[in-house]
Amino acid sequence: KHILQGTAVYSEEYGIAGKIDTFDIESGILTERKKKVERVYYGYKLQLYGQHICLHEMGYIVRETRIHSLDDNKNYLVPYPSVKELQHFREILDQFRTFRLAGGFIPNREKCQKCIYNTLCDKSLV
């Protein structure tokens, strides 16, 4: 009863919505699970920032955010963003909102190889 799992979240201030992986209401721990974490990518952090912001705006107290690697059962703490990081988060959201694929998109081979959508993408380098 105290674990939210797959719960839809929304932030009116940031205009973002999504679903959290797991949030323990009692401990305040927000966890995003990944199959195998070899390193904590910046995108993972942004994902947790967004989830944290949404939960906070919805009235929950988030005390800790972390990435959990399922294959090796390791946790990686992701601290709450600084003011500078929050500003960068807003800038990234603005870039998403104004992005147009027709304009100068250059795919990255390394990212394309690991992307779960590469078979659907007409610009994939795989």
Side-chain angles (χ1 to χ4, degrees):
K1 293 182 179 181
H2 66 278
I3 303 289
L4 300 179
Q5 188 168 3
T7 303
V9 292
Y10 176 74
S11 167
E12 191 171 320
E13 179 182 351
Y14 285 80
I16 57 175
K19 288 192 175 187
I20 59 163
D21 203 346
T22 64
F23 177 63
D24 185 323
I25 297 169
E26 290 179 357
S27 68
I29 298 174
L30 171 63
T31 304
E32 179 63 33
R33 296 173 294 187
K34 304 289 184 191
K35 178 156 176 37
K36 172 98 172 123
V37 177
E38 294 177 11
R39 71 180 219 205
V40 177
Y41 291 100
Y42 189 60
Y44 294 173
K45 291 181 181 182
L46 293 175
Q47 184 179 7
L48 276 172
Y49 293 168
Q51 293 174 4
H52 186 153
I53 288 164
C54 290
L55 284 167
H56 176 76
E57 208 172 297
M58 294 169 70
Y60 292 102
I61 297 170
V62 181
R63 292 182 180 90
E64 181 179 297
T65 56
R66 65 186 184 187
I67 303 287
H68 179 75
S69 178
L70 293 168
D71 280 359
D72 54 12
N73 199 32
K74 289 184 181 178
N75 289 312
Y76 302 87
L77 293 180
V78 176
Y80 189 73
S82 66
V83 173
K84 185 177 179 180
E85 289 170 318
L86 277 176
Q87 179 58 37
H88 189 246
F89 181 72
R90 285 183 189 271
E91 290 168 4
I92 296 232
L93 290 175
D94 289 340
Q95 290 173 14
F96 275 122
R97 291 181 179 118
T98 59
F99 178 78
R100 300 294 174 259
L101 190 57
F105 172 72
I106 301 169
N108 177 318
R109 181 173 301 280
E110 187 176 322
K111 286 186 177 183
C112 283
Q113 288 173 339
K114 295 178 181 180
C115 180
I116 63 172
Y117 302 108
N118 66 30
T119 58
L120 304 172
C121 179
D122 62 350
K123 296 200 181 256
S124 176
L125 296 175
V126 175

Short mmCIF file of all heavy atoms in Angstrom, two decimals, residues 41-83:
data_model
loop_
_atom_site.label_atom_id
_atom_site.label_comp_id
_atom_site.label_asym_id
_atom_site.label_seq_id
_atom_site.Cartn_x
_atom_site.Cartn_y
_atom_site.Cartn_z
N TYR A 41 23.96 7.52 -17.17
CA TYR A 41 23.90 8.50 -18.25
C TYR A 41 23.15 9.75 -17.80
O TYR A 41 22.30 9.70 -16.91
CB TYR A 41 23.19 7.90 -19.48
CG TYR A 41 23.98 6.82 -20.16
CD1 TYR A 41 23.69 5.48 -19.92
CD2 TYR A 41 25.03 7.13 -21.02
CE1 TYR A 41 24.42 4.47 -20.54
CE2 TYR A 41 25.76 6.13 -21.64
CZ TYR A 41 25.44 4.80 -21.39
OH TYR A 41 26.17 3.81 -22.00
N TYR A 42 23.48 10.86 -18.43
CA TYR A 42 22.82 12.13 -18.10
C TYR A 42 21.31 12.03 -18.31
O TYR A 42 20.52 12.57 -17.54
CB TYR A 42 23.43 13.26 -18.93
CG TYR A 42 22.97 14.63 -18.50
CD1 TYR A 42 23.19 15.08 -17.21
CD2 TYR A 42 22.29 15.45 -19.39
CE1 TYR A 42 22.76 16.33 -16.81
CE2 TYR A 42 21.86 16.70 -18.99
CZ TYR A 42 22.10 17.14 -17.70
OH TYR A 42 21.67 18.37 -17.30
N GLY A 43 20.90 11.30 -19.33
CA GLY A 43 19.47 11.12 -19.59
C GLY A 43 18.75 10.42 -18.44
O GLY A 43 17.59 10.70 -18.15
N TYR A 44 19.44 9.48 -17.77
CA TYR A 44 18.87 8.83 -16.60
C TYR A 44 18.59 9.86 -15.51
O TYR A 44 17.55 9.85 -14.85
CB TYR A 44 19.81 7.77 -16.02
CG TYR A 44 20.11 6.56 -16.86
CD1 TYR A 44 21.06 5.65 -16.44
CD2 TYR A 44 19.47 6.31 -18.07
CE1 TYR A 44 21.36 4.51 -17.17
CE2 TYR A 44 19.76 5.17 -18.81
CZ TYR A 44 20.71 4.28 -18.36
OH TYR A 44 21.01 3.16 -19.08
N LYS A 45 19.57 10.75 -15.32
CA LYS A 45 19.41 11.80 -14.30
C LYS A 45 18.23 12.71 -14.65
O LYS A 45 17.43 13.04 -13.78
CB LYS A 45 20.69 12.63 -14.18
CG LYS A 45 21.85 11.87 -13.58
CD LYS A 45 23.07 12.77 -13.48
CE LYS A 45 24.26 12.05 -12.91
NZ LYS A 45 25.42 12.93 -12.75
N LEU A 46 18.14 13.11 -15.91
CA LEU A 46 17.04 13.98 -16.32
C LEU A 46 15.70 13.31 -16.08
O LEU A 46 14.73 13.95 -15.65
CB LEU A 46 17.19 14.37 -17.80
CG LEU A 46 18.38 15.25 -18.14
CD1 LEU A 46 18.48 15.45 -19.66
CD2 LEU A 46 18.31 16.59 -17.43
N GLN A 47 15.63 12.02 -16.37
CA GLN A 47 14.41 11.27 -16.14
C GLN A 47 14.02 11.32 -14.66
O GLN A 47 12.86 11.58 -14.32
CB GLN A 47 14.61 9.82 -16.59
CG GLN A 47 13.38 8.96 -16.49
CD GLN A 47 13.63 7.54 -16.96
OE1 GLN A 47 14.76 7.14 -17.25
NE2 GLN A 47 12.58 6.76 -17.03
N LEU A 48 14.98 11.10 -13.78
CA LEU A 48 14.69 11.15 -12.34
C LEU A 48 14.37 12.56 -11.87
O LEU A 48 13.52 12.74 -10.99
CB LEU A 48 15.86 10.57 -11.54
CG LEU A 48 15.85 9.06 -11.42
CD1 LEU A 48 17.14 8.56 -10.79
CD2 LEU A 48 14.66 8.58 -10.61
N TYR A 49 15.04 13.57 -12.43
CA TYR A 49 14.71 14.95 -12.07
C TYR A 49 13.24 15.22 -12.36
O TYR A 49 12.51 15.77 -11.53
CB TYR A 49 15.55 15.96 -12.86
CG TYR A 49 17.03 15.99 -12.57
CD1 TYR A 49 17.89 16.69 -13.41
CD2 TYR A 49 17.60 15.31 -11.49
CE1 TYR A 49 19.26 16.73 -13.18
CE2 TYR A 49 18.97 15.35 -11.26
CZ TYR A 49 19.79 16.06 -12.11
OH TYR A 49 21.14 16.11 -11.88
N GLY A 50 12.80 14.82 -13.54
CA GLY A 50 11.41 15.04 -13.93
C GLY A 50 10.45 14.31 -13.01
O GLY A 50 9.44 14.88 -12.57
N GLN A 51 10.74 13.06 -12.70
CA GLN A 51 9.87 12.29 -11.81
C GLN A 51 9.82 12.91 -10.42
O GLN A 51 8.76 13.01 -9.81
CB GLN A 51 10.35 10.84 -11.74
CG GLN A 51 10.19 10.09 -13.04
CD GLN A 51 10.81 8.70 -12.99
OE1 GLN A 51 11.32 8.25 -11.96
NE2 GLN A 51 10.79 8.02 -14.13
N HIS A 52 10.98 13.33 -9.93
CA HIS A 52 11.07 13.95 -8.60
C HIS A 52 10.23 15.23 -8.57
O HIS A 52 9.44 15.45 -7.64
CB HIS A 52 12.54 14.25 -8.29
CG HIS A 52 12.77 14.77 -6.91
ND1 HIS A 52 13.95 14.58 -6.26
CD2 HIS A 52 12.00 15.47 -6.04
CE1 HIS A 52 13.88 15.14 -5.06
NE2 HIS A 52 12.71 15.69 -4.91
N ILE A 53 10.39 16.05 -9.59
CA ILE A 53 9.64 17.31 -9.68
C ILE A 53 8.14 17.03 -9.68
O ILE A 53 7.37 17.68 -8.96
CB ILE A 53 10.07 18.10 -10.93
CG1 ILE A 53 11.48 18.67 -10.72
CG2 ILE A 53 9.08 19.20 -11.27
CD1 ILE A 53 12.16 19.14 -12.00
N CYS A 54 7.72 16.07 -10.49
CA CYS A 54 6.30 15.74 -10.58
C CYS A 54 5.75 15.26 -9.23
O CYS A 54 4.70 15.73 -8.78
CB CYS A 54 6.07 14.65 -11.63
SG CYS A 54 6.30 15.18 -13.33
N LEU A 55 6.47 14.34 -8.59
CA LEU A 55 6.01 13.83 -7.30
C LEU A 55 5.93 14.94 -6.26
O LEU A 55 4.96 15.02 -5.49
CB LEU A 55 6.93 12.71 -6.81
CG LEU A 55 6.75 11.36 -7.50
CD1 LEU A 55 7.91 10.43 -7.16
CD2 LEU A 55 5.42 10.73 -7.10
N HIS A 56 6.94 15.80 -6.24
CA HIS A 56 6.95 16.92 -5.29
C HIS A 56 5.73 17.83 -5.52
O HIS A 56 5.04 18.20 -4.57
CB HIS A 56 8.24 17.72 -5.43
CG HIS A 56 8.27 18.94 -4.56
ND1 HIS A 56 8.50 18.87 -3.21
CD2 HIS A 56 8.08 20.23 -4.86
CE1 HIS A 56 8.44 20.10 -2.70
NE2 HIS A 56 8.20 20.94 -3.68
N GLU A 57 5.48 18.14 -6.78
CA GLU A 57 4.36 19.00 -7.11
C GLU A 57 3.01 18.35 -6.75
O GLU A 57 2.04 19.03 -6.46
CB GLU A 57 4.39 19.31 -8.61
CG GLU A 57 3.76 20.63 -8.96
CD GLU A 57 3.99 21.00 -10.41
OE1 GLU A 57 5.16 21.19 -10.82
OE2 GLU A 57 2.98 21.10 -11.14
N MET A 58 3.00 17.02 -6.76
CA MET A 58 1.78 16.27 -6.41
C MET A 58 1.64 16.08 -4.90
O MET A 58 0.69 15.45 -4.44
CB MET A 58 1.79 14.92 -7.13
CG MET A 58 1.68 15.05 -8.64
SD MET A 58 1.99 13.51 -9.54
CE MET A 58 0.54 12.57 -9.09
N GLY A 59 2.60 16.63 -4.12
CA GLY A 59 2.48 16.60 -2.67
C GLY A 59 3.26 15.52 -1.96
O GLY A 59 3.17 15.38 -0.74
N TYR A 60 4.05 14.75 -2.68
CA TYR A 60 4.85 13.70 -2.05
C TYR A 60 6.21 14.26 -1.63
O TYR A 60 6.73 15.18 -2.24
CB TYR A 60 5.07 12.53 -3.02
CG TYR A 60 3.81 11.77 -3.32
CD1 TYR A 60 3.12 11.97 -4.52
CD2 TYR A 60 3.29 10.84 -2.41
CE1 TYR A 60 1.95 11.28 -4.80
CE2 TYR A 60 2.13 10.14 -2.69
CZ TYR A 60 1.47 10.36 -3.88
OH TYR A 60 0.32 9.67 -4.15
N ILE A 61 6.78 13.65 -0.59
CA ILE A 61 8.11 14.04 -0.13
C ILE A 61 9.10 13.01 -0.64
O ILE A 61 9.05 11.84 -0.25
CB ILE A 61 8.16 14.13 1.41
CG1 ILE A 61 7.20 15.23 1.89
CG2 ILE A 61 9.58 14.40 1.88
CD1 ILE A 61 7.00 15.25 3.40
N VAL A 62 9.98 13.46 -1.54
CA VAL A 62 11.01 12.58 -2.10
C VAL A 62 12.31 12.88 -1.37
O VAL A 62 12.83 13.99 -1.44
CB VAL A 62 11.17 12.82 -3.63
CG1 VAL A 62 12.23 11.88 -4.20
CG2 VAL A 62 9.84 12.65 -4.35
N ARG A 63 12.83 11.89 -0.67
CA ARG A 63 14.05 12.07 0.11
C ARG A 63 15.30 11.59 -0.63
O ARG A 63 16.40 12.04 -0.36
CB ARG A 63 13.93 11.33 1.44
CG ARG A 63 12.89 11.94 2.36
CD ARG A 63 12.84 11.21 3.71
NE ARG A 63 11.83 11.82 4.56
CZ ARG A 63 10.56 11.44 4.60
NH1 ARG A 63 10.13 10.45 3.84
NH2 ARG A 63 9.71 12.06 5.40
N GLU A 64 15.09 10.64 -1.54
CA GLU A 64 16.24 10.06 -2.24
C GLU A 64 15.79 9.57 -3.62
O GLU A 64 14.70 9.04 -3.76
CB GLU A 64 16.77 8.87 -1.43
CG GLU A 64 17.96 8.17 -2.00
CD GLU A 64 18.43 7.03 -1.10
OE1 GLU A 64 18.84 7.31 0.04
OE2 GLU A 64 18.38 5.87 -1.55
N THR A 65 16.64 9.79 -4.61
CA THR A 65 16.38 9.25 -5.94
C THR A 65 17.57 8.38 -6.34
O THR A 65 18.71 8.71 -6.05
CB THR A 65 16.18 10.37 -6.98
OG1 THR A 65 17.31 11.22 -6.98
CG2 THR A 65 14.93 11.18 -6.71
N ARG A 66 17.24 7.28 -7.01
CA ARG A 66 18.31 6.35 -7.37
C ARG A 66 17.95 5.56 -8.63
O ARG A 66 16.78 5.38 -8.96
CB ARG A 66 18.62 5.41 -6.23
CG ARG A 66 17.47 4.48 -5.88
CD ARG A 66 17.77 3.67 -4.65
NE ARG A 66 16.68 2.72 -4.41
CZ ARG A 66 16.59 1.97 -3.34
NH1 ARG A 66 17.50 2.05 -2.39
NH2 ARG A 66 15.60 1.13 -3.20
N ILE A 67 19.01 5.08 -9.26
CA ILE A 67 18.90 4.17 -10.39
C ILE A 67 19.26 2.79 -9.84
O ILE A 67 20.26 2.65 -9.13
CB ILE A 67 19.90 4.53 -11.52
CG1 ILE A 67 19.69 5.96 -12.01
CG2 ILE A 67 19.84 3.52 -12.65
CD1 ILE A 67 18.48 6.19 -12.84
N HIS A 68 18.46 1.79 -10.19
CA HIS A 68 18.75 0.43 -9.74
C HIS A 68 19.06 -0.44 -10.95
O HIS A 68 18.28 -0.50 -11.90
CB HIS A 68 17.56 -0.15 -8.97
CG HIS A 68 17.79 -1.56 -8.52
ND1 HIS A 68 18.60 -1.87 -7.46
CD2 HIS A 68 17.33 -2.74 -9.01
CE1 HIS A 68 18.62 -3.19 -7.31
NE2 HIS A 68 17.85 -3.73 -8.24
N SER A 69 20.22 -1.08 -10.92
CA SER A 69 20.64 -2.00 -11.97
C SER A 69 20.16 -3.41 -11.61
O SER A 69 20.61 -4.00 -10.63
CB SER A 69 22.17 -1.98 -12.11
OG SER A 69 22.59 -2.89 -13.10
N LEU A 70 19.22 -3.93 -12.42
CA LEU A 70 18.62 -5.22 -12.11
C LEU A 70 19.61 -6.38 -12.24
O LEU A 70 19.60 -7.30 -11.43
CB LEU A 70 17.41 -5.47 -13.02
CG LEU A 70 16.23 -4.53 -12.79
CD1 LEU A 70 15.22 -4.66 -13.92
CD2 LEU A 70 15.57 -4.80 -11.45
N ASP A 71 20.47 -6.34 -13.26
CA ASP A 71 21.38 -7.46 -13.50
C ASP A 71 22.37 -7.69 -12.37
O ASP A 71 22.70 -8.83 -12.06
CB ASP A 71 22.15 -7.27 -14.81
CG ASP A 71 21.32 -7.66 -16.03
OD1 ASP A 71 20.16 -8.09 -15.85
OD2 ASP A 71 21.82 -7.51 -17.15
N ASP A 72 22.86 -6.62 -11.76
CA ASP A 72 23.85 -6.80 -10.70
C ASP A 72 23.38 -6.28 -9.34
O ASP A 72 24.14 -6.25 -8.38
CB ASP A 72 25.19 -6.17 -11.07
CG ASP A 72 25.06 -4.71 -11.47
OD1 ASP A 72 24.00 -4.12 -11.25
OD2 ASP A 72 26.04 -4.18 -12.01
N ASN A 73 22.11 -5.88 -9.26
CA ASN A 73 21.48 -5.47 -8.00
C ASN A 73 22.23 -4.32 -7.31
O ASN A 73 22.37 -4.29 -6.10
CB ASN A 73 21.35 -6.66 -7.05
CG ASN A 73 20.32 -6.42 -5.97
OD1 ASN A 73 19.33 -5.72 -6.18
ND2 ASN A 73 20.55 -6.99 -4.80
N LYS A 74 22.69 -3.34 -8.11
CA LYS A 74 23.39 -2.18 -7.56
C LYS A 74 22.51 -0.95 -7.67
O LYS A 74 21.73 -0.81 -8.60
CB LYS A 74 24.70 -1.93 -8.31
CG LYS A 74 25.77 -2.96 -8.05
CD LYS A 74 27.05 -2.58 -8.75
CE LYS A 74 28.13 -3.61 -8.53
NZ LYS A 74 29.36 -3.28 -9.25
N ASN A 75 22.67 -0.05 -6.68
CA ASN A 75 21.96 1.22 -6.69
C ASN A 75 22.94 2.37 -6.90
O ASN A 75 24.05 2.34 -6.37
CB ASN A 75 21.22 1.44 -5.36
CG ASN A 75 20.04 0.50 -5.22
OD1 ASN A 75 19.24 0.36 -6.12
ND2 ASN A 75 19.95 -0.15 -4.07
N TYR A 76 22.50 3.36 -7.65
CA TYR A 76 23.30 4.55 -7.93
C TYR A 76 22.47 5.77 -7.52
O TYR A 76 21.43 6.04 -8.13
CB TYR A 76 23.67 4.63 -9.42
CG TYR A 76 24.43 3.41 -9.89
CD1 TYR A 76 23.76 2.28 -10.34
CD2 TYR A 76 25.81 3.41 -9.88
CE1 TYR A 76 24.46 1.16 -10.77
CE2 TYR A 76 26.52 2.28 -10.31
CZ TYR A 76 25.83 1.17 -10.75
OH TYR A 76 26.53 0.06 -11.18
N LEU A 77 22.94 6.46 -6.49
CA LEU A 77 22.21 7.63 -6.01
C LEU A 77 22.32 8.77 -7.01
O LEU A 77 23.39 9.01 -7.58
CB LEU A 77 22.75 8.09 -4.66
CG LEU A 77 22.52 7.12 -3.50
CD1 LEU A 77 23.11 7.70 -2.21
CD2 LEU A 77 21.06 6.80 -3.31
N VAL A 78 21.22 9.47 -7.20
CA VAL A 78 21.17 10.65 -8.07
C VAL A 78 20.68 11.80 -7.20
O VAL A 78 19.50 11.88 -6.88
CB VAL A 78 20.23 10.44 -9.27
CG1 VAL A 78 20.13 11.70 -10.11
CG2 VAL A 78 20.70 9.25 -10.11
N PRO A 79 21.59 12.69 -6.78
CA PRO A 79 21.18 13.79 -5.91
C PRO A 79 20.24 14.76 -6.61
O PRO A 79 20.24 14.86 -7.84
CB PRO A 79 22.49 14.48 -5.54
CG PRO A 79 23.55 13.92 -6.41
CD PRO A 79 23.01 12.70 -7.09
N TYR A 80 19.44 15.45 -5.81
CA TYR A 80 18.52 16.45 -6.37
C TYR A 80 19.35 17.51 -7.10
O TYR A 80 20.42 17.89 -6.65
CB TYR A 80 17.69 17.09 -5.26
CG TYR A 80 16.58 17.95 -5.81
CD1 TYR A 80 15.46 17.36 -6.38
CD2 TYR A 80 16.66 19.32 -5.78
CE1 TYR A 80 14.44 18.13 -6.91
CE2 TYR A 80 15.64 20.11 -6.30
CZ TYR A 80 14.54 19.51 -6.87
OH TYR A 80 13.55 20.28 -7.40
N PRO A 81 18.85 17.98 -8.24
CA PRO A 81 19.64 18.92 -9.03
C PRO A 81 19.84 20.28 -8.36
O PRO A 81 18.97 20.75 -7.63
CB PRO A 81 18.82 19.07 -10.32
CG PRO A 81 17.43 18.71 -9.92
CD PRO A 81 17.56 17.68 -8.84
N SER A 82 20.97 20.87 -8.66
CA SER A 82 21.26 22.22 -8.19
C SER A 82 20.42 23.21 -8.99
O SER A 82 19.76 22.83 -9.97
CB SER A 82 22.74 22.54 -8.40
OG SER A 82 23.04 22.58 -9.79
N VAL A 83 20.45 24.46 -8.61
CA VAL A 83 19.71 25.50 -9.35
C VAL A 83 20.19 25.55 -10.80
O VAL A 83 19.39 25.65 -11.73
CB VAL A 83 19.89 26.88 -8.66
CG1 VAL A 83 19.29 27.99 -9.50
CG2 VAL A 83 19.26 26.85 -7.27
#
